[in-house]
Amino acid sequence: MKEFWKGNEAIAEAALRAGLEAYFGYPITPQTELLEYLAKHMPPQGRAFVQAESEVAAINMVYGAACAGARVMSSSSSPGVSLMQEGLSYIAGSEVPVVLVDIMRGGPGLGNIAPSQGDYFQLTKGGGHGDYHPIVLAPASVQEAVDLTYGAFDLAEKYRWIVIVAADGNIGQMMEPIELPPPRRVERRDRGWELTGAQGRPRRVITSIYLQPEALHQYNEHLQRKQREIEKHEVRYSEYLMEDAEYAIVAFGTSARVSQTAIKWARAKGIRVGLFRPISLYPFPYARVAAISQRVRAILVVEMNSGQMIEDVRLGALDRVPISFFGTMGGLVPLPDDVLPAIEKMVQ
Amino acid sequence: MHHEIIISGFGGQGALFAGQLLAYAALAEDRHVTWIPSYGPEMRGGTANCTVIISDEEIGSPLVRNPTAAIVMNPPSFDRFEPLVKPGGVLIVNTSLVSSESKRSDIRVVKAQANELAAELGAAQMANVVLVGALVAATGMLKFETLDRVLDEHISARHRDKLDSNKAALRRGAALARP
């Protein structure tokens, strides 16, 4: 039976049902209900909840718990995620599984608390130092936010990697009917790397420090092989009215929802336009964008930023078709009324 | 069916709860539904609104510029949303606080002195429910039995004793809107 849930709380419940054992975070709008929900529900269930003194502390607590083998996550919003970047780089360099939820808000700087997609570069290009890309999954509905969060823990553990659920303030604050997945128990098993106390076995070391350049080079090659594996197996996307489309909008998250309505209106005017919606922002569906660029006349990219994902769309589509852009910044959410003229302009 | 509703008023007037009432009822009637609040650095006395979309089809944008219906509970909400209602749409005005008159002839305007009507039924705080009653009667978007059931399920414990008054408030609003 479907229940009516707010995005932030639904994500929190999905994480609990996925077997979340430990959460560390710091309040920030428009994400706070997520942390608040876990603060209420985790301690009575014997799970660890800590409101840290800052996001910097929170992500390092996450790092520690992940090293100990716990199912662990944090959540924040854009400025808080910026603060976490050093920790995320250490986590990537240490190959421990971590889930992070970013309910994006307007920036740069303190910006505002309105919905934005301005973290695309920061999240997908590895906002911290060094060569790494976290897996980044972008939901466009509360149900999808639940499903992606629920699956994120398995994905993180499969690759021993960071998985970021990248939603915006709209998804966090919106209520929609959802079906929640069944609660799971995490089986505590030794996977051969976690630090559980070395009684009766050789000690294990989790580190991101390799002082010899050759050793660090070699380690990076290992990480890059992992990235290629992720790129091969974890590409996700969704399409709407693309079968007969002569034109395509590429958009993710809330801007994809808004575009979907604009597409309906454009179709009513006889414009054959469809939607290509990347769900995995990293790995980006380059191959699918390339295929689409071979059969449509033009592509319009819609984002709630100044044009970030469009760079990846260009890498996929190359110069095969004209690519135009419509974006809003500052936490402004575009409306279908704004996107329709951009579609009409693309068609001309 | 496809309804796009904006409900707007001062913080504390219950605009957000009124929207949730519609949304829970829409879910109970197996419709697609989204509810999204305007959120910001809100404070008591500031204006809050929510957008509810109820549809037989999957919902794209959860936000709209031109709603098919609006409930305006205070003067700033009237000024902002009265011009935006789609032609053929419905505007429910809380005349307890709004003295402006709509000049539009392409929409249906239903006036409700909701605060006073709610006070007569036991609590002025039920003004939002009176206005929801008017909206639902004017548009036929939901069944009143469903709203009753949803009220029963979602009314907070401290207002439980007002359940019957709330149901009466729905009817009181509906009576104003029936053609």
Side-chain angles (χ1 to χ4, degrees):
Chain A
M1 205 194 83
K2 285 200 170 177
E3 296 172 51
F4 202 56
W5 281 70
K6 185 171 216 177
N8 281 333
E9 293 175 345
I11 290 170
E13 178 62 27
L16 287 179
R17 289 177 182 229
L20 177 68
E21 293 172 287
Y23 174 96
F24 309 90
Y26 189 79
I28 179 170
T29 307
Q31 164 274 163
T32 297
E33 295 91 350
L34 204 170
L35 166 135
E36 197 180 8
Y37 187 93
L38 293 175
K40 186 173 169 193
H41 288 88
M42 289 185 84
Q45 297 175 21
R47 312 192 199 197
F49 174 95
V50 177
Q51 180 173 318
E53 65 269 37
S54 74
E55 288 87 346
V56 176
I59 198 65
N60 282 291
M61 292 175 186
V62 164
Y63 182 17
C67 290
R71 277 215 148 171
V72 59
M73 77 180 269
S74 186
S75 61
S76 190
S77 179
S78 311
V81 174
S82 297
L83 280 168
M84 292 180 177
Q85 291 303 334
E86 183 203 33
L88 288 169
S89 176
Y90 277 65
I91 289 165
S94 304
E95 292 183 276
V96 288
V98 160
V99 173
L100 172 67
V101 179
D102 181 8
I103 306 293
M104 291 182 269
R105 60 184 249 182
L110 205 48
N112 62 24
I113 61 176
S116 162
Q117 297 178 326
D119 294 3
Y120 184 90
F121 283 150
Q122 161 162 273
L123 300 179
T124 62
K125 307 303 176 192
H129 57 282
D131 280 310
Y132 73 98
H133 301 269
I135 296 171
V136 182
L137 306 173
S141 67
V142 176
Q143 180 70 63
E144 197 172 38
V146 163
D147 297 342
L148 293 178
T149 304
Y150 192 70
F153 293 91
D154 297 324
L155 207 52
E157 283 166 24
K158 178 176 172 190
Y159 292 101
R160 288 171 61 186
W161 207 232
I162 303 161
V163 178
I164 300 178
V165 176
D168 60 71
N170 247 339
I171 307 280
Q173 295 297 323
M174 180 166 57
M175 292 178 84
E176 283 190 301
I178 56 164
E179 267 176 79
L180 284 161
R184 286 191 292 185
R185 254 212 164 144
V186 200
E187 283 171 43
R188 260 316 178 91
R189 62 193 191 286
D190 190 23
R191 290 160 293 187
W193 54 265
E194 53 269 80
L195 308 183
T196 50
Q199 299 101 321
R201 61 161 173 78
R203 73 183 186 126
R204 294 166 180 168
V205 177
I206 293 178
T207 181
S208 67
I209 188 168
Y210 297 83
L211 286 175
Q212 295 304 323
E214 293 79 9
L216 184 54
H217 177 83
Q218 211 169 30
Y219 180 62
N220 266 287
E221 284 195 324
H222 156 72
L223 293 182
Q224 289 304 308
R225 280 194 294 277
K226 185 199 305 245
Q227 303 266 213
R228 298 298 89 76
E229 279 299 298
I230 290 171
E231 287 162 9
K232 205 159 118 194
H233 299 294
E234 304 304 339
V235 170
R236 300 177 195 193
Y237 56 82
S238 152
E239 295 182 349
Y240 171 71
L241 301 180
M242 279 302 293
E243 301 79 20
D244 64 340
E246 294 174 8
Y247 298 90
I249 289 184
V250 183
F252 67 97
T254 290
S255 24
R257 289 282 292 263
V258 173
S259 299
Q260 203 169 316
T261 299
I263 284 168
K264 231 183 242 180
W265 295 357
R267 287 252 166 190
K269 292 183 159 195
I271 303 171
R272 284 204 276 185
V273 56
L275 173 71
F276 179 73
R277 178 168 71 85
I279 296 171
S280 59
L281 304 182
Y282 177 86
F284 189 80
Y286 291 111
R288 190 67 191 155
V289 169
I292 287 168
S293 71
Q294 277 156 354
R295 61 181 175 87
V296 298
R297 293 185 191 172
I299 289 173
L300 169 68
V301 178
V302 180
E303 297 181 72
M304 282 144 62
N305 58 41
S306 67
Q308 300 191 16
M309 181 183 67
I310 190 172
E311 295 194 1
D312 285 319
V313 175
R314 285 201 183 110
L315 278 176
L318 299 175
D319 290 329
R320 290 183 202 100
V321 283
I323 299 172
S324 53
F325 179 72
F326 178 82
T328 52
M329 292 172 285
L332 268 185
V333 180
L335 294 173
D337 316 62
D338 307 317
V339 178
L340 183 62
I343 296 175
E344 288 170 331
K345 209 173 148 199
M346 159 171 66
V347 171
Q348 274 160 20
Chain B
M1 58 102 80
H2 186 85
H3 296 275
E4 298 155 347
I5 308 125
I6 291 178
I7 306 178
S8 184
F10 288 126
Q13 279 188 297
L16 301 191
F17 178 76
Q20 287 181 357
L21 189 59
L22 292 174
Y24 281 118
L27 176 61
E29 292 188 6
D30 247 349
R31 311 282 187 194
H32 292 275
V33 57
T34 57
W35 173 95
I36 190 160
S38 65
Y39 71 92
E42 311 290 11
M43 56 180 188
R44 191 176 292 258
T47 291
N49 70 68
C50 66
T51 303
V52 180
I53 301 184
I54 301 174
S55 183
D56 283 334
E57 290 176 30
E58 195 194 330
I59 297 164
S61 176
L63 294 166
V64 294
R65 180 156 297 143
N66 301 109
T68 59
I71 296 177
V72 290
M73 302 172 74
N74 66 356
S77 302
F78 178 91
D79 295 343
R80 184 167 166 203
F81 294 112
E82 185 260 354
L84 295 181
V85 175
K86 265 194 190 124
V90 176
L91 178 71
I92 313 289
V93 184
N94 178 15
T95 50
S96 300
L97 293 183
V98 179
S99 51
S100 312
E101 291 280 338
S102 173
K103 291 182 185 71
R104 291 186 59 177
S105 54
D106 59 345
I107 59 172
R108 180 168 178 220
V109 179
V110 178
K111 297 178 190 172
Q113 247 187 328
N115 294 29
E116 288 78 4
L117 293 172
E120 281 169 23
L121 293 166
Q125 294 97 307
M126 298 186 305
N128 58 343
V129 180
V130 172
L131 295 163
V132 164
L135 173 76
V136 171
T139 58
M141 65 174 73
L142 295 160
K143 295 193 191 81
F144 277 86
E145 305 88 81
T146 317
L147 287 166
D148 286 346
R149 207 166 77 227
V150 162
L151 266 175
D152 200 0
E153 286 163 12
H154 293 280
I155 204 161
S156 63
R158 72 194 163 96
H159 294 310
R160 186 103 226 141
D161 57 322
K162 299 250 167 44
L163 179 61
D164 287 335
S165 322
N166 271 281
K167 290 179 182 173
L170 280 174
R171 267 78 186 170
R172 194 69 190 81
L176 298 169
R178 292 224 166 80

